[in-house]
Amino acid sequence: MKLMKSEEPLPRRAVALILLFCVSEMRAEPARYSVPEETERGSFVANIAKDLGLTGEELLARQARLVPEGEKQYLQLNQHTGDLVVREQMDREELCGQSEPCL
């Protein structure tokens, strides 16, 4: 029985296999947080670093940031600590109008 020699070197195949395992373990899940209407500015919402299993330094290194969907940025992220706080009070009528439910 004759063994066929692969044209691709073993280390390259090993790297591809490791990447496949790493990517298969990755998943994107949206994080959802509730903030009561008209919560005071500076109020703590959550620690994103803790929820993501990261340190504040890792958040900073990855340049984590919040990207608002509208004109106003209602929340603020402290990249050093991972704390998410209210930057500006939210008004349900301003955000959702008369639509129910307002999420």
Side-chain angles (χ1 to χ4, degrees), residues 21-55:
F21 284 130
C22 290
V23 171
S24 68
E25 291 297 316
M26 294 172 64
R27 58 183 185 259
E29 295 179 18
R32 295 179 185 257
Y33 301 99
S34 294
V35 179
E37 183 179 2
E38 297 181 5
T39 300
E40 296 290 321
R41 292 179 68 171
S43 296
F44 177 80
V45 176
N47 186 292
I48 296 220
K50 182 179 175 186
D51 293 347
L52 295 173
L54 301 171
T55 64

Side-chain angles (χ1 to χ4, degrees), residues 2-100:
K2 186 176 180 181
L3 294 175
M4 295 182 70
K5 188 173 182 180
S6 173
E7 292 179 19
E8 190 174 344
L10 180 61
R12 191 171 185 171
R13 283 189 282 166
V15 170
L17 185 61
I18 291 169
L19 285 175
L20 177 66
F21 284 130
C22 290
V23 171
S24 68
E25 291 297 316
M26 294 172 64
R27 58 183 185 259
E29 295 179 18
R32 295 179 185 257
Y33 301 99
S34 294
V35 179
E37 183 179 2
E38 297 181 5
T39 300
E40 296 290 321
R41 292 179 68 171
S43 296
F44 177 80
V45 176
N47 186 292
I48 296 220
K50 182 179 175 186
D51 293 347
L52 295 173
L54 301 171
T55 64
E57 293 82 29
E58 289 173 314
L59 273 183
L60 187 59
R62 294 176 184 214
Q63 299 177 349
R65 63 190 180 283
L66 299 176
V67 179
E69 289 184 8
E71 295 175 17
K72 292 184 180 179
Q73 181 140 359
Y74 292 99
L75 302 172
Q76 181 175 347
L77 175 64
N78 181 326
Q79 290 182 322
H80 298 282
T81 64
D83 288 345
L84 185 64
V85 296
V86 175
R87 180 177 180 186
E88 190 168 323
Q89 276 189 339
M90 295 173 230
D91 181 26
R92 192 190 75 74
E93 286 82 16
E94 183 181 322
L95 289 169
C96 300
Q98 297 301 316
S99 64
E100 289 289 335

